[in-house]
Amino acid sequence: CRMEWQPDEQGLQQVLQLLKDSQSPNTATQRAVQQKLEQLNQFPDFNNYLIFVLTRLKTEDEPTRSLSGLILKNNVKAHYQNFPAAVADFIKQECLNNIGDPSPLIRATIGILITTISSKGELQTWPELLPQLCNLLNSEDYNTCEGSFGALQKICEDSSELLDSDALNRPLNIMIPKFLQFFKHCSPKIRSHAIACVNQFIIGRAQALMDNIDTFIESLFALAADEDSEVRKNVCRALVMLLEVRIDRLIPHMHSIIQYMLQRTQDPDENVSLEACEFWLTLAEQPICKEVLSGHLVQLIPILVNGMKYSEIDIILLKGDVEEDEAVPDSEQDIKPRFHKSRTVTLQHEGGEGEEGEDIDEDDDDDDDTLSDWNLRKCSAAALDVLANVFRDELLPHLLPLLKGLLFHPDWVIKESGILVLGAIAEGCMQGMVPYLPELIPHLIQCLCDKKALVRSIACWTLSRYAHWVVSQPPDSHLKPLMTELLKRILDGNKRVQEAACSAFATLEEEACTELVPYLSFILDTLVFAFGKYQHKNLLILYDAIGTLADSVGHHLNQPEYIQKLMPPLIAKWNELKDEDKDLFPLLECLSSVATALQSGFLPYCEPVYQRCVTLVQKTLAQAMMYNQHPDQYEAPDKDFMIVALDLLSGLAEGLGGSVEQLVARSNIMTLLFQCMQDPMPEVRQSSFALLGDLTKACFPHVKPCIAEFMPILGLNLNPEFISVCNNATWAIGEIAMQMAITIGRLGYVCPQEVAPMLQQFIRPWCTSLRNIRDNEEKDSAFRGICMMIGVNPGGVVQDFIFFCDAVASWVSPKDDLRDMFYKILHGFKDQVGEENWQQFSEQFPPLLKERLSACYGV
């Protein structure tokens, strides 16, 4: 038998010194430690020393031993496949032999180490692991049982799918019944581990659990009144998940489960009450919600409302007593990453403005974003919101009596929770709330001036939830006072209030649209003043408010006085930001909206903006190419830069129309576009097809030479799996076809003799394309060409004359001489075939077409 490995004393001292040094706060020491680690990792048995310190060196302090295990864990993560077999075996053996270490910290460290090794070899290469751990659960020694359970819980969390597959011979058939036995264990820590292990298999509906589902549910009920809060939390979590996957087994017990959850939602331990509160959110999504919950609303509603108050800890974390903080710079980790939504082309309806794809209100559930940790307040508010959508106005009899007391309460914390309640039910209970709004809205507007910042900020949010109603009333009654106060709040001294007011104002803009035109000067003064006042995070929200304003009032923004106010600060920011700065995203989005709204008013600013967008696209493409060729040397680029730049170019093309032509002529945008259209990332293709369509409309001569190359790529993207990509590609093809049709018409105008002989080949698709365009100059010149070609080759149109009639009828008011051309052709055809044949022919016309032709052309 081979000798067991023993450390060399000098080597051991070296390793211990390293572990001591690595606990030093000094950065120079830290750097030396990193170098030393890299040297020691060259020795195959260095890892033996690390496990030895963790499991055997009981004389050392626990933090040092645990650290040794964590360094070993990182080595396993990085190089386990290179460990010599003897080293790997020694480590595994030591882990299993010491999983019952008396110290909870050491047990947990060994558990993490076991999980890391098992996830490296996917459990297959360590077949004795699960049987041994399960066996150790039977140990009389508490530490061994707890340590093994800790390791098993981590393995269940990391590898739940693998454990339920054939790969390992279905160990769950043994493990789950075993775990269920421990629900009755005398130690709460062990009971809690046992439930947590089984909970990992609910959502995946593991077969072994489904076979034991009734035992599982009975065992959970037996633990309902457990005195340990961790156990109660795991019981609640289990019931919430079962509600999603096995509601059939819960329905017979639903009444008592609801009673239990009502109690737990008021649990003194917030970890328990939060888990329990999730139950209402999940239940609201189930079809049986209304039926099983109606009778309990009278108990549930007050509990949820009570949970919506800020806790004392929240108030401390949110600096609820700090009123003025606008001069304090933001810390960078406060700023959440933003995701750009690629441009989706939506056809403009007659007379209406095109709608950008509707946003799902992600930010709707309340406004304390910086506490982005999910907590009882947020969960209760979300639950009330979804229940309001299920029960609609049936909720109000339970709420209204409470609301009055809350909204006028002297204690600001309670008053604040009442305002949150009012906002949470806005969507679901709108109908029933309408009679109360004429007195509630003025009260809420008053709350915008409350002395507590947290009251002012929640009032902003709640008012935004009722913006639709406010806008439906005469403007002087609520819109004007609301707008006036919100604009003051945008300039509040408190950053959270600034943020809430800016977001609320953006919502109001979307609802009010052109109702805001009379107040534009006043609005712009405020937004521009905020520019000089805001810290980093709120600037990003301000861009959004400005962009939404431009989307909402459209061309009304194109007034010299407004442009003078708005453009200088935007361009100053634009010049300040570097090409690598992510703050460009919201600024580019904002400018895209502004360019589209200002149209010709944007001309003086377009050149530098256009050039920079082209540069951003070029840089990103170049970086992507380097990365693809040498992934080890270069970083992958952030393609959002390119997507946002393409979208702003679309905005410029749409806003400037034909004036974009000279910019396109002086750049290589068509070449870049050819590359973007073939990018592997769908969002890049989506934005490039939108830009292609906009350039086709704005300056077709630059697109035309590329069509032979572009069309096959567009064809490849007609895949509804990527719905937005497919939509934009379809739209771009349509725009190109339309321009081609117009081009054919114009060619015929210039040289009818050459083109007319082919009339029969294209007249039908030509007519169906052009009937969909509104009256404009392009359409006019194209139709003149067609009329001239019909003059040269009347036979070419005979087969498809009904399509020609339809296309003529699509004109609302053609110029007089063009109307004469139509008149001559229609009457010429009618005289040619004779009255009787014309009657028969025109019988096929849809009634509307018949009416139109008879009214306008007397045929």
Side-chain angles (χ1 to χ4, degrees), residues 587-628:
L587 179 55
L588 284 156
E589 284 175 25
C590 168
L591 280 170
S592 180
S593 296
V594 170
T596 309
L598 290 185
Q599 297 177 344
S600 60
F602 199 78
L603 271 173
Y605 310 96
C606 66
E607 178 123 22
V609 173
Y610 179 90
Q611 288 309 342
R612 183 163 194 184
C613 287
V614 172
T615 306
L616 283 170
V617 174
Q618 205 156 5
K619 277 189 174 173
T620 312
L621 286 171
Q623 205 182 333
M625 208 158 101
M626 311 234 281
Y627 171 72
N628 289 335

Short mmCIF file of all heavy atoms in Angstrom, two decimals, residues 587-628:
data_model
loop_
_atom_site.label_atom_id
_atom_site.label_comp_id
_atom_site.label_asym_id
_atom_site.label_seq_id
_atom_site.Cartn_x
_atom_site.Cartn_y
_atom_site.Cartn_z
N LEU A 587 -28.11 59.75 -25.03
CA LEU A 587 -28.01 61.03 -25.74
C LEU A 587 -28.31 60.84 -27.23
O LEU A 587 -29.02 61.64 -27.85
CB LEU A 587 -26.62 61.65 -25.53
CG LEU A 587 -26.39 62.98 -26.24
CD1 LEU A 587 -27.45 64.01 -25.86
CD2 LEU A 587 -25.00 63.55 -25.93
N LEU A 588 -27.78 59.75 -27.80
CA LEU A 588 -28.06 59.47 -29.22
C LEU A 588 -29.55 59.20 -29.44
O LEU A 588 -30.14 59.66 -30.42
CB LEU A 588 -27.24 58.27 -29.69
CG LEU A 588 -25.75 58.50 -29.97
CD1 LEU A 588 -24.99 57.19 -29.84
CD2 LEU A 588 -25.50 59.06 -31.34
N GLU A 589 -30.15 58.45 -28.52
CA GLU A 589 -31.59 58.17 -28.65
C GLU A 589 -32.37 59.47 -28.60
O GLU A 589 -33.31 59.67 -29.38
CB GLU A 589 -32.06 57.25 -27.51
CG GLU A 589 -31.65 55.81 -27.70
CD GLU A 589 -32.02 54.93 -26.50
OE1 GLU A 589 -32.96 55.27 -25.76
OE2 GLU A 589 -31.36 53.89 -26.31
N CYS A 590 -31.96 60.35 -27.67
CA CYS A 590 -32.64 61.62 -27.51
C CYS A 590 -32.49 62.46 -28.79
O CYS A 590 -33.46 63.00 -29.32
CB CYS A 590 -32.04 62.34 -26.30
SG CYS A 590 -32.49 64.05 -26.14
N LEU A 591 -31.27 62.53 -29.32
CA LEU A 591 -31.04 63.32 -30.54
C LEU A 591 -31.80 62.76 -31.73
O LEU A 591 -32.23 63.50 -32.61
CB LEU A 591 -29.54 63.37 -30.86
CG LEU A 591 -28.75 64.39 -30.05
CD1 LEU A 591 -27.26 64.19 -30.26
CD2 LEU A 591 -29.13 65.81 -30.43
N SER A 592 -31.95 61.43 -31.75
CA SER A 592 -32.68 60.81 -32.85
C SER A 592 -34.13 61.32 -32.85
O SER A 592 -34.67 61.69 -33.90
CB SER A 592 -32.64 59.29 -32.67
OG SER A 592 -33.34 58.67 -33.70
N SER A 593 -34.74 61.37 -31.66
CA SER A 593 -36.11 61.89 -31.56
C SER A 593 -36.16 63.37 -31.93
O SER A 593 -37.06 63.83 -32.61
CB SER A 593 -36.65 61.73 -30.14
OG SER A 593 -36.75 60.36 -29.82
N VAL A 594 -35.15 64.11 -31.46
CA VAL A 594 -35.13 65.56 -31.72
C VAL A 594 -34.96 65.82 -33.23
O VAL A 594 -35.65 66.66 -33.80
CB VAL A 594 -34.01 66.24 -30.90
CG1 VAL A 594 -33.81 67.68 -31.34
CG2 VAL A 594 -34.35 66.17 -29.41
N ALA A 595 -34.06 65.08 -33.88
CA ALA A 595 -33.82 65.29 -35.32
C ALA A 595 -35.10 65.00 -36.11
O ALA A 595 -35.47 65.72 -37.02
CB ALA A 595 -32.69 64.39 -35.80
N THR A 596 -35.79 63.91 -35.73
CA THR A 596 -37.02 63.55 -36.44
C THR A 596 -38.08 64.64 -36.27
O THR A 596 -38.81 64.97 -37.20
CB THR A 596 -37.56 62.20 -35.90
OG1 THR A 596 -36.50 61.25 -35.92
CG2 THR A 596 -38.69 61.68 -36.75
N ALA A 597 -38.13 65.23 -35.06
CA ALA A 597 -39.13 66.27 -34.79
C ALA A 597 -38.77 67.59 -35.48
O ALA A 597 -39.63 68.25 -36.07
CB ALA A 597 -39.28 66.49 -33.29
N LEU A 598 -37.50 67.97 -35.41
CA LEU A 598 -37.11 69.28 -35.93
C LEU A 598 -37.06 69.32 -37.45
O LEU A 598 -37.17 70.39 -38.05
CB LEU A 598 -35.73 69.68 -35.39
CG LEU A 598 -35.65 70.01 -33.90
CD1 LEU A 598 -34.25 70.49 -33.56
CD2 LEU A 598 -36.66 71.08 -33.52
N GLN A 599 -36.83 68.16 -38.07
CA GLN A 599 -36.73 68.12 -39.54
C GLN A 599 -35.70 69.16 -40.01
O GLN A 599 -34.57 69.15 -39.55
CB GLN A 599 -38.11 68.27 -40.16
CG GLN A 599 -38.98 67.10 -39.75
CD GLN A 599 -40.40 67.17 -40.24
OE1 GLN A 599 -40.89 68.20 -40.66
NE2 GLN A 599 -41.07 66.05 -40.19
N SER A 600 -36.12 70.08 -40.87
CA SER A 600 -35.15 71.03 -41.42
C SER A 600 -34.47 71.86 -40.32
O SER A 600 -33.35 72.34 -40.50
CB SER A 600 -35.84 71.96 -42.40
OG SER A 600 -36.86 72.66 -41.71
N GLY A 601 -35.13 71.99 -39.19
CA GLY A 601 -34.54 72.77 -38.10
C GLY A 601 -33.26 72.15 -37.56
O GLY A 601 -32.47 72.80 -36.88
N PHE A 602 -33.03 70.87 -37.87
CA PHE A 602 -31.84 70.19 -37.36
C PHE A 602 -30.64 70.37 -38.30
O PHE A 602 -29.53 70.03 -37.94
CB PHE A 602 -32.16 68.70 -37.18
CG PHE A 602 -31.20 67.98 -36.26
CD1 PHE A 602 -31.31 68.11 -34.88
CD2 PHE A 602 -30.18 67.18 -36.77
CE1 PHE A 602 -30.43 67.45 -34.03
CE2 PHE A 602 -29.29 66.52 -35.92
CZ PHE A 602 -29.42 66.66 -34.54
N LEU A 603 -30.90 70.91 -39.50
CA LEU A 603 -29.84 71.00 -40.51
C LEU A 603 -28.52 71.60 -40.00
O LEU A 603 -27.46 71.05 -40.27
CB LEU A 603 -30.33 71.80 -41.73
CG LEU A 603 -31.01 70.95 -42.81
CD1 LEU A 603 -31.60 71.85 -43.88
CD2 LEU A 603 -30.00 69.98 -43.43
N PRO A 604 -28.57 72.72 -39.26
CA PRO A 604 -27.29 73.31 -38.84
C PRO A 604 -26.45 72.37 -37.97
O PRO A 604 -25.26 72.56 -37.84
CB PRO A 604 -27.71 74.54 -38.02
CG PRO A 604 -29.14 74.79 -38.34
CD PRO A 604 -29.74 73.52 -38.83
N TYR A 605 -27.08 71.37 -37.36
CA TYR A 605 -26.33 70.51 -36.42
C TYR A 605 -26.00 69.15 -37.03
O TYR A 605 -25.37 68.33 -36.39
CB TYR A 605 -27.16 70.28 -35.14
CG TYR A 605 -27.67 71.57 -34.56
CD1 TYR A 605 -28.95 72.04 -34.85
CD2 TYR A 605 -26.84 72.34 -33.74
CE1 TYR A 605 -29.42 73.23 -34.32
CE2 TYR A 605 -27.31 73.54 -33.21
CZ TYR A 605 -28.58 73.98 -33.51
OH TYR A 605 -29.02 75.16 -32.99
N CYS A 606 -26.49 68.89 -38.25
CA CYS A 606 -26.49 67.50 -38.70
C CYS A 606 -25.11 66.98 -39.07
O CYS A 606 -24.82 65.81 -38.87
CB CYS A 606 -27.48 67.30 -39.84
SG CYS A 606 -27.02 68.18 -41.30
N GLU A 607 -24.23 67.84 -39.59
CA GLU A 607 -22.96 67.33 -40.12
C GLU A 607 -22.12 66.62 -39.05
O GLU A 607 -21.80 65.44 -39.21
CB GLU A 607 -22.17 68.46 -40.77
CG GLU A 607 -20.82 67.96 -41.28
CD GLU A 607 -20.64 68.23 -42.77
OE1 GLU A 607 -21.31 69.13 -43.30
OE2 GLU A 607 -19.83 67.54 -43.37
N PRO A 608 -21.76 67.29 -37.92
CA PRO A 608 -20.94 66.58 -36.93
C PRO A 608 -21.65 65.35 -36.35
O PRO A 608 -21.01 64.34 -36.06
CB PRO A 608 -20.70 67.63 -35.84
CG PRO A 608 -21.70 68.71 -36.07
CD PRO A 608 -22.03 68.68 -37.53
N VAL A 609 -22.96 65.44 -36.19
CA VAL A 609 -23.71 64.31 -35.62
C VAL A 609 -23.64 63.12 -36.58
O VAL A 609 -23.35 61.99 -36.20
CB VAL A 609 -25.18 64.71 -35.35
CG1 VAL A 609 -25.99 63.50 -34.93
CG2 VAL A 609 -25.24 65.79 -34.26
N TYR A 610 -23.86 63.40 -37.86
CA TYR A 610 -23.81 62.35 -38.88
C TYR A 610 -22.42 61.70 -38.92
O TYR A 610 -22.29 60.48 -38.86
CB TYR A 610 -24.16 62.93 -40.25
CG TYR A 610 -24.12 61.92 -41.37
CD1 TYR A 610 -25.25 61.19 -41.70
CD2 TYR A 610 -22.95 61.68 -42.07
CE1 TYR A 610 -25.22 60.23 -42.70
CE2 TYR A 610 -22.91 60.72 -43.08
CZ TYR A 610 -24.03 60.02 -43.40
OH TYR A 610 -23.99 59.08 -44.39
N GLN A 611 -21.39 62.55 -38.96
CA GLN A 611 -20.01 62.02 -39.06
C GLN A 611 -19.69 61.11 -37.89
O GLN A 611 -19.09 60.05 -38.05
CB GLN A 611 -18.98 63.18 -39.08
CG GLN A 611 -18.96 63.97 -40.36
CD GLN A 611 -18.84 63.09 -41.61
OE1 GLN A 611 -18.46 61.93 -41.55
NE2 GLN A 611 -19.22 63.65 -42.75
N ARG A 612 -20.10 61.54 -36.69
CA ARG A 612 -19.74 60.75 -35.52
C ARG A 612 -20.44 59.39 -35.52
O ARG A 612 -19.86 58.38 -35.12
CB ARG A 612 -20.11 61.51 -34.26
CG ARG A 612 -19.69 60.75 -33.02
CD ARG A 612 -19.67 61.66 -31.85
NE ARG A 612 -18.98 61.10 -30.72
CZ ARG A 612 -18.92 61.74 -29.55
NH1 ARG A 612 -19.46 62.92 -29.43
NH2 ARG A 612 -18.29 61.18 -28.53
N CYS A 613 -21.70 59.38 -35.97
CA CYS A 613 -22.41 58.10 -36.03
C CYS A 613 -21.71 57.14 -36.98
O CYS A 613 -21.54 55.95 -36.67
CB CYS A 613 -23.85 58.32 -36.52
SG CYS A 613 -24.88 59.09 -35.28
N VAL A 614 -21.28 57.66 -38.13
CA VAL A 614 -20.57 56.81 -39.09
C VAL A 614 -19.29 56.28 -38.46
O VAL A 614 -18.96 55.09 -38.58
CB VAL A 614 -20.29 57.59 -40.40
CG1 VAL A 614 -19.40 56.77 -41.32
CG2 VAL A 614 -21.61 57.93 -41.09
N THR A 615 -18.59 57.17 -37.72
CA THR A 615 -17.35 56.74 -37.06
C THR A 615 -17.63 55.63 -36.04
O THR A 615 -16.88 54.65 -35.94
CB THR A 615 -16.71 57.95 -36.33
OG1 THR A 615 -16.56 59.00 -37.28
CG2 THR A 615 -15.36 57.59 -35.75
N LEU A 616 -18.71 55.79 -35.26
CA LEU A 616 -19.03 54.77 -34.25
C LEU A 616 -19.28 53.42 -34.91
O LEU A 616 -18.85 52.38 -34.42
CB LEU A 616 -20.27 55.19 -33.44
CG LEU A 616 -20.06 56.26 -32.37
CD1 LEU A 616 -21.40 56.75 -31.84
CD2 LEU A 616 -19.22 55.72 -31.22
N VAL A 617 -20.01 53.43 -36.03
CA VAL A 617 -20.29 52.18 -36.73
C VAL A 617 -18.97 51.57 -37.23
O VAL A 617 -18.70 50.38 -37.05
CB VAL A 617 -21.26 52.40 -37.91
CG1 VAL A 617 -21.42 51.13 -38.73
CG2 VAL A 617 -22.62 52.87 -37.40
N GLN A 618 -18.14 52.43 -37.82
CA GLN A 618 -16.88 51.97 -38.39
C GLN A 618 -15.97 51.37 -37.31
O GLN A 618 -15.43 50.28 -37.47
CB GLN A 618 -16.18 53.16 -39.04
CG GLN A 618 -15.24 52.76 -40.13
CD GLN A 618 -15.03 53.91 -41.12
OE1 GLN A 618 -15.54 55.01 -40.92
NE2 GLN A 618 -14.31 53.65 -42.16
N LYS A 619 -15.85 52.08 -36.17
CA LYS A 619 -15.00 51.60 -35.08
C LYS A 619 -15.48 50.24 -34.57
O LYS A 619 -14.68 49.34 -34.30
CB LYS A 619 -15.04 52.59 -33.91
CG LYS A 619 -14.10 53.77 -34.06
CD LYS A 619 -14.07 54.56 -32.74
CE LYS A 619 -13.03 55.66 -32.80
NZ LYS A 619 -13.07 56.54 -31.62
N THR A 620 -16.79 50.13 -34.39
CA THR A 620 -17.33 48.87 -33.83
C THR A 620 -17.09 47.72 -34.79
O THR A 620 -16.68 46.63 -34.37
CB THR A 620 -18.84 49.02 -33.55
OG1 THR A 620 -19.06 50.24 -32.85
CG2 THR A 620 -19.34 47.87 -32.70
N LEU A 621 -17.32 47.95 -36.07
CA LEU A 621 -17.09 46.90 -37.07
C LEU A 621 -15.61 46.49 -37.08
O LEU A 621 -15.29 45.29 -37.12
CB LEU A 621 -17.51 47.36 -38.47
CG LEU A 621 -19.02 47.42 -38.73
CD1 LEU A 621 -19.29 48.10 -40.07
CD2 LEU A 621 -19.65 46.03 -38.71
N ALA A 622 -14.73 47.47 -37.02
CA ALA A 622 -13.29 47.16 -37.04
C ALA A 622 -12.91 46.34 -35.82
O ALA A 622 -12.18 45.34 -35.91
CB ALA A 622 -12.49 48.46 -37.08
N GLN A 623 -13.45 46.74 -34.66
CA GLN A 623 -13.12 46.02 -33.42
C GLN A 623 -13.66 44.60 -33.46
O GLN A 623 -13.01 43.66 -33.01
CB GLN A 623 -13.73 46.78 -32.23
CG GLN A 623 -13.00 46.51 -30.93
CD GLN A 623 -13.65 47.23 -29.76
OE1 GLN A 623 -14.28 48.27 -29.93
NE2 GLN A 623 -13.51 46.68 -28.57
N ALA A 624 -14.86 44.44 -34.03
CA ALA A 624 -15.45 43.10 -34.13
C ALA A 624 -14.58 42.21 -35.03
O ALA A 624 -14.39 41.03 -34.76
CB ALA A 624 -16.86 43.18 -34.69
N MET A 625 -14.03 42.81 -36.08
CA MET A 625 -13.22 42.04 -37.01
C MET A 625 -11.94 41.58 -36.33
O MET A 625 -11.55 40.41 -36.42
CB MET A 625 -12.89 42.90 -38.23
CG MET A 625 -12.68 42.08 -39.47
SD MET A 625 -12.93 43.11 -40.91
CE MET A 625 -11.24 43.41 -41.32
N MET A 626 -11.30 42.51 -35.59
CA MET A 626 -10.06 42.14 -34.88
C MET A 626 -10.35 41.04 -33.86
O MET A 626 -9.59 40.10 -33.71
CB MET A 626 -9.50 43.35 -34.16
CG MET A 626 -9.42 44.57 -35.06
SD MET A 626 -7.83 45.31 -35.12
CE MET A 626 -7.82 46.23 -33.62
N TYR A 627 -11.47 41.20 -33.17
CA TYR A 627 -11.82 40.21 -32.14
C TYR A 627 -12.04 38.84 -32.78
O TYR A 627 -11.60 37.81 -32.26
CB TYR A 627 -13.05 40.65 -31.36
CG TYR A 627 -13.59 39.59 -30.44
CD1 TYR A 627 -12.91 39.25 -29.27
CD2 TYR A 627 -14.76 38.89 -30.75
CE1 TYR A 627 -13.38 38.25 -28.43
CE2 TYR A 627 -15.24 37.90 -29.91
CZ TYR A 627 -14.54 37.58 -28.74
OH TYR A 627 -15.01 36.58 -27.93
N ASN A 628 -12.74 38.81 -33.94
CA ASN A 628 -13.00 37.52 -34.59
C ASN A 628 -11.72 36.84 -35.05
O ASN A 628 -11.60 35.63 -35.01
CB ASN A 628 -13.95 37.71 -35.78
CG ASN A 628 -15.35 38.03 -35.30
OD1 ASN A 628 -15.73 37.67 -34.18
ND2 ASN A 628 -16.12 38.73 -36.12
#
